[in-house]
């Protein structure tokens, strides 16, 4: 308990402390429970002690990667955000976390990783830009395959393909889940009274990315923004517990404003294209002139003309 | 089914009354059915009884393949085939029977959440114990699952199913758990259910809902099925209000039929509750 525990997690962006749902859960819980964590925000999962993010490095028990296990470990270290909950509220926590994982998480995975427009324009771009060379070529695609595989296994359908049908089913479940959460929250500040608990950490971690990351195909986002109390709930938690990250959001937005779609890539791409075309044309011309396929006839120097004529004659032979 | 087709089908469903010859399909009771499928099937049967809708139980070796979603049980009502408790509840709601209409919004949210808890923890634990525990898989699950088929199909199908379930466990992060941890999770889940039930007769006091049907289905099956050891049943038995809940539902909905006990007695199960 003396030395602070070290947590490795994904870097934050869009006004969030981290872009990954599991990392957000752990970060939020740690803030709620007042656990002193030394947070390393990295973009290379291979640098973490377990190979995946989030990862909590403890002194006694090695490193832990799953959010639920991390929360249990923090509880053992006496950082317990659920201390004040009654037994029934503890049971409700388990139930609502299961609801989140069964109904909302698949839709979240779909919208961030499987939906083609969102994946290419936002998720893959973010990971490719932020992971260092050379992993940025390898990891985003691998993560995409892993998420698709996970979705297939969870749905029990080995030939699942992204498409409108699947999207409708997943989103319908997710809309219902969000509506249920909104009804349960009502007008309270947190799910169980005035102080946040582990359920709040889970709900916040699943809803905040939807709220903050601007996606081209944003049906889930629209539904979430229509539920005012949930939107207020997320912004509240961000403002109270992650004020420094929330302040970074405007900076990111100005970057995003002026046609972010190809701003970084285009100039380099165009320049490279023009240069390579010029190089190719120059090489072809040079080859043509040197071998005599193309002859440059000059008026004045007689010598050069005869030399060229000789070259032509040789070629004809 | 697309949403438009679903709306159309449910309209048609609502138009027809419940027929006399509705059938519920499940794998063979004596030799083939496993703990998780038996639990799901009992949950659906209990739900239908609670709604007062008669249904015939038909045991077929290929029930899993007949099902539209690949999962058992499924019901065949008139022209429609619906599988799994969730869609069946929706289907029956379209016909005008519902056990949970009288709940307010917060209670409905809680009911759905607890149903997901049972699916997420209890059902997954049952699958884990059946297929990821080597001893149970070798002694019980594989022989039973493949009993209707001859060699070599029985080996192929059994291993295929085992492999599929193990991959799923891997995907949801359960493959790193030991058997002890799984029993602990079951205990936690039962504790949550016990807390929620308290001293009430049903989860939402006066009347049973689909949550009661689901919980009864799983707990009764766990208590009456013989596995390689009794630890799972012991975990459930330690919560006395859950035990008395199971007794109560069995007495109310299953004891009308004398003689043959409808609630799944077989060589695999120990008959009625201890």
């Amino acid at each position: 308990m003396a030395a602070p525990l070290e947590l490795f997690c994904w870097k934050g962006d869009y006004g969030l402390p981290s872009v990954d749902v599991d990392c957000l859960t752990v970060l939020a819980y740690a803030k709620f429970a007042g656990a002193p964590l030394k947070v390393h925000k990295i973009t290379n999962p291979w640098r973490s002690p377990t190979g995946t993010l989030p990862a909590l490095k403890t002194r006694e028990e090695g490193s832990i990667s799953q959010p639920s296990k991390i929360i249990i470990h923090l509880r053992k270290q006496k950082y317990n955000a659920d201390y004040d909950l009654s037994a029934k509220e503890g049971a409700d926590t388990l139930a609502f976390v299961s609801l989140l994982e069964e109904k909302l998480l698949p839709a979240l995975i779909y919208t961030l990783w499987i939906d083609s427009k969102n994946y290419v324009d936002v998720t893959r771009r973010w990971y490719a830009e932020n992971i260092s060379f050379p992993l940025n070529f390898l990891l985003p695609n691998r993560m995409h395959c892993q998420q698709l595989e996970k979705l297939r296994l969870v749905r029990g359908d080995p030939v699942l393909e992204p498409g409108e049908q699947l999207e409708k089913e997943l989103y319908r479940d997710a809309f219902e889940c969000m509506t249920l959460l909104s009804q349960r929250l009502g007008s309270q500040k947190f799910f169980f009274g005035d102080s946040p608990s582990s359920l709040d950490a889970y709900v916040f971690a699943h809803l905040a990315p939807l709220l903050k990351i601007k996606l081209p195909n944003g049906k889930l986002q629209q539904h979430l923004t229509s539920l005012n109390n949930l939107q207020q709930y997320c912004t509240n938690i961000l403002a109270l517990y992650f004020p420094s990250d929330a302040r970074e959001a405007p900076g990111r937005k100005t970057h995003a404003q002026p046609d972010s779609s190809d701003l970084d890539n285009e100039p380099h791409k165009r320049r490279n294209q023009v240069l390579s075309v010029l190089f190719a044309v120059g090489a072809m011309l040079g080859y043509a002139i040197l071998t005599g396929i193309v002859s440059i006839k000059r008026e004045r120097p007689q010598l050069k003309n005869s030399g060229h004529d000789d070259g032509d004659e040789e070629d004809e032979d | 089914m697309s949403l438009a087709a679903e709306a159309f089908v449910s309209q048609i469903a609502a138009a027809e009354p419940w027929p006399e010859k509705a059938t519920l399909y499940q794998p063979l009771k004596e030799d083939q059915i496993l703990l998780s499928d038996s639990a799901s099937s009992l949950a659906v049967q209990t739900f239908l009884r609670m709604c007062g809708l008669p249904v015939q139980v038909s045991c077929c070796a290929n029930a899993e393949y007949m099902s539209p979603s690949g999962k058992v049980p499924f019901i065949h009502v008139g022209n429609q085939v619906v599988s799994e408790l969730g869609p069946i509840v929706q289907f029956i709601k379209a016909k005008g029977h519902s056990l949970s209409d009288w709940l307010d919004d917060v209670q409905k949210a809680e009911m759905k959440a607890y149903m997901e808890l049972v699916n997420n923890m209890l059902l997954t634990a049952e699958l884990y114990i059946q297929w990821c525990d080597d001893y149970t898989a070798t002694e019980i699950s594989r022989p039973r699952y493949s009993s209707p088929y001859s060699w070599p199909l029985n080996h192929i199908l059994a291993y295929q199913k085992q492999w599929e379930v193990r991959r799923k466990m891997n995907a949801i992060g359960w493959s790193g758990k030991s058997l002890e941890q799984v029993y602990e999770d079951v205990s936690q889940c039962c504790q949550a259910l016990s807390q929620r039930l308290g001293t009430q007769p049903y989860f939402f006091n006066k009347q049973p809902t689909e949550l009661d049907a689901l919980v009864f289905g799983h707990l009764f099956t766990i208590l009456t099925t013989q596995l390689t050891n009794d630890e799972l049943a012991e975990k459930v038995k330690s919560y006395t209000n859950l035990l008395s809940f199971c007794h109560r539902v069995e007495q109310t909905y299953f004891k009308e039929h004398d003689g043959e006990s409808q609630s799944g007695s077989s060589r695999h199960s120990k008959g009625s509750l201890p």
Side-chain angles (χ1 to χ4, degrees):
Chain A
M1 250 191 339
L5 302 159
E6 289 179 50
L7 178 74
F8 294 83
C9 62
W10 280 103
K11 203 179 91 164
D13 208 340
Y14 305 102
L16 296 169
S18 174
V19 295
D20 177 60
V21 173
D22 290 335
C23 299
L24 271 176
T25 316
V26 176
L27 282 171
Y29 183 82
K31 286 272 177 176
F32 296 161
L37 280 185
K38 192 158 163 239
V39 179
H40 300 275
K41 292 204 177 159
I42 56 176
T43 53
N44 187 352
W46 292 6
R47 287 256 166 103
S48 90
T50 59
T52 54
L53 295 171
L56 184 76
K57 196 164 162 190
T58 66
R59 275 182 310 155
E60 311 86 29
E61 292 171 26
S63 301
I64 320 173
S65 231
Q66 275 187 324
S68 49
K69 288 197 185 135
I70 294 179
I71 290 181
I72 292 175
H73 182 86
L74 286 175
R75 262 196 214 139
K76 275 197 238 166
Q77 305 285 335
K78 313 274 191 251
Y79 299 115
N80 190 358
D82 296 339
Y83 192 69
D84 294 325
L85 293 184
S86 70
K88 182 176 175 301
E89 286 169 343
D92 280 350
T93 304
L94 269 183
F96 278 98
V97 168
S98 300
L99 184 69
L100 274 177
E101 288 190 2
E102 293 273 322
K103 299 276 176 183
L104 186 54
L105 189 60
L108 200 53
I109 292 177
Y110 185 90
T111 200
L112 284 175
W113 287 97
I114 317 286
D115 180 276
S116 29
K117 210 157 177 353
N118 290 351
Y119 171 60
V120 167
D121 283 349
V122 179
T123 318
R124 189 174 68 178
R125 159 182 293 269
W126 189 88
Y127 281 95
E129 279 174 6
N130 285 281
I131 302 179
S132 48
F133 181 85
L135 285 175
N136 58 341
F137 291 113
L138 173 68
L139 279 183
N141 205 24
R142 202 211 257 183
M143 288 163 87
H144 165 79
C145 291
Q146 276 173 345
Q147 299 286 22
L148 183 58
E149 192 59 34
K150 186 169 169 185
L151 197 61
R152 282 194 176 138
L153 285 170
V154 162
R155 299 276 295 179
D157 187 359
V159 292
L160 206 66
E161 284 301 325
E164 240 187 81
Q165 179 58 25
L166 176 62
E167 185 187 298
K168 277 206 187 103
E169 284 174 24
L170 290 176
Y171 284 8
R172 187 185 51 194
D173 282 342
F175 291 165
E176 195 191 342
C177 177
M178 286 196 270
T179 315
L180 289 173
L181 285 173
S182 173
Q183 283 166 351
R184 180 68 176 80
L185 180 65
S187 52
Q188 292 169 279
K189 198 168 168 204
F190 297 107
F191 273 93
F192 300 121
D194 283 334
S195 60
S197 61
S198 54
L199 179 60
D200 298 290
Y202 276 97
V203 174
F204 167 71
H206 284 76
L207 294 180
L210 273 182
L211 202 59
K212 288 287 182 180
I213 303 178
K214 296 283 173 268
L215 297 166
N217 191 354
K219 292 191 192 126
L220 277 184
Q221 268 174 341
Q222 283 164 11
H223 190 86
L224 179 58
T225 41
S226 73
L227 297 164
N228 283 323
N229 61 345
L230 285 183
Q231 195 185 8
Q232 186 59 33
Y233 170 77
C234 292
T235 22
N236 205 22
I237 292 183
L238 272 176
L240 277 176
Y241 293 95
F242 301 103
S244 49
D245 298 299
R247 255 177 286 148
E248 281 172 28
R252 186 63 167 93
K253 285 216 174 96
T254 51
H255 279 289
Q257 287 295 353
D259 188 26
S260 66
S261 52
D262 290 319
L263 192 58
D264 286 346
N265 291 341
E266 274 299 341
H268 290 290
K269 210 166 154 192
R270 285 252 170 79
R271 188 193 68 185
N272 286 345
Q273 277 174 341
V274 168
L275 278 179
S276 51
V277 165
L278 279 179
F279 178 73
V281 168
M284 283 195 291
L285 271 181
Y287 176 76
I289 292 173
L290 282 174
T291 52
I293 300 171
V294 170
S295 54
I296 303 177
K297 292 215 163 57
R298 298 218 183 144
E299 306 263 324
R300 274 178 288 139
Q302 298 271 333
L303 281 170
K304 278 217 178 115
N305 262 341
S306 53
H308 275 295
D309 286 337
D310 281 345
D312 281 336
E313 281 172 24
E314 280 172 26
D315 280 330
E316 282 166 19
D317 285 346
Chain B
M1 270 201 288
S2 68
L3 278 181
E6 253 184 58
F8 182 62
V9 162
S10 59
Q11 268 200 329
I12 294 201
E16 296 170 359
W18 189 262
E20 284 297 318
K21 285 180 60 180
T23 331
L24 179 138
Y25 290 89
Q26 65 172 36
L28 301 171
K29 209 191 292 190
E30 288 290 314
D31 300 312
Q32 192 191 16
I33 199 167
L34 291 173
L35 175 59
S36 50
D37 294 335
S38 183
S40 310
S41 174
L42 184 58
V44 171
Q45 285 177 52
T46 315
F47 176 71
L48 289 172
R49 278 177 195 246
M50 286 175 176
C51 291
L53 299 170
V55 72
Q56 275 175 331
V57 177
S58 169
C59 298
C60 301
N62 59 344
E64 203 178 3
Y65 300 106
M66 284 200 279
S67 158
S69 71
K71 303 217 174 99
V72 289
F74 66 94
I75 56 174
H76 179 202
V77 176
N79 276 338
Q80 280 113 44
V81 179
V82 192
S83 65
E84 294 183 78
L85 185 64
I88 290 176
V89 170
Q90 295 289 337
F91 176 74
I92 290 186
K93 198 166 173 183
K95 285 211 179 283
H97 304 272
S98 173
L99 292 179
S100 52
D101 273 345
W102 54 279
L103 296 173
D104 67 36
D105 287 338
V106 172
Q107 285 175 317
K108 273 199 185 131
E110 284 183 8
M111 182 187 81
K112 294 240 158 82
Y114 276 93
M115 284 176 78
E116 289 308 321
L117 175 67
V118 173
N119 280 333
N120 199 5
M121 281 199 147
L122 268 187
L123 184 60
T124 317
E126 287 165 5
L127 282 173
Y128 182 95
I129 292 170
Q130 278 168 208
W131 294 105
C132 298
D133 175 34
D134 285 323
Y135 187 56
T136 313
T138 319
E139 293 292 314
I140 299 182
S141 312
R142 283 203 302 262
R144 281 184 72 89
Y145 183 75
S146 57
S147 56
Y149 308 108
S150 57
W151 191 88
L153 191 59
N154 54 353
H155 282 302
I156 296 174
L157 287 179
Y159 277 105
Q160 195 181 43
K161 180 78 178 176
Q162 182 173 334
W163 189 55
E164 188 190 308
V165 173
R166 285 197 179 180
R167 275 172 68 216
K168 180 174 173 184
M169 293 294 141
N170 209 7
I172 55 178
W174 275 59
S175 56
K177 294 198 184 190
S178 68
L179 203 55
E180 288 308 315
Q181 281 174 319
V182 172
Y183 287 138
E184 196 46 51
D185 283 343
V186 169
S187 197
Q188 249 190 350
C189 180
C190 290
Q191 188 182 29
L193 290 171
S194 176
Q195 293 289 350
R196 185 66 185 83
L197 183 62
T199 49
Q200 299 169 112
Y202 298 109
F203 276 93
F204 291 98
N205 207 8
K206 291 165 287 200
Q207 286 175 33
T209 56
E210 43 263 34
L211 175 61
D212 300 278
L214 184 63
V215 172
F216 172 74
H218 280 273
L219 292 184
F220 187 84
T221 319
I222 290 178
L223 289 168
T224 54
T225 304
Q226 211 150 22
L227 290 173
T228 50
N229 61 12
D230 279 336
E231 208 169 323
L232 194 58
E234 292 301 319
K235 292 279 176 200
V236 176
K237 275 189 214 168
S238 59
Y239 298 98
T240 46
N241 62 345
L242 291 179
L243 259 187
S244 52
F245 167 76
C246 290
H247 270 294
R248 193 178 313 122
V249 176
E250 193 197 0
Q251 294 290 332
T252 321
Y253 294 101
F254 286 94
K255 279 292 192 265
E256 298 120 32
H257 301 260
D258 290 322
E260 180 201 354
S261 166
Q262 288 286 343
S263 39
S265 70
S266 64
R267 266 179 295 140
H268 189 47
S269 87
K270 294 180 242 166
S272 51
L273 280 176

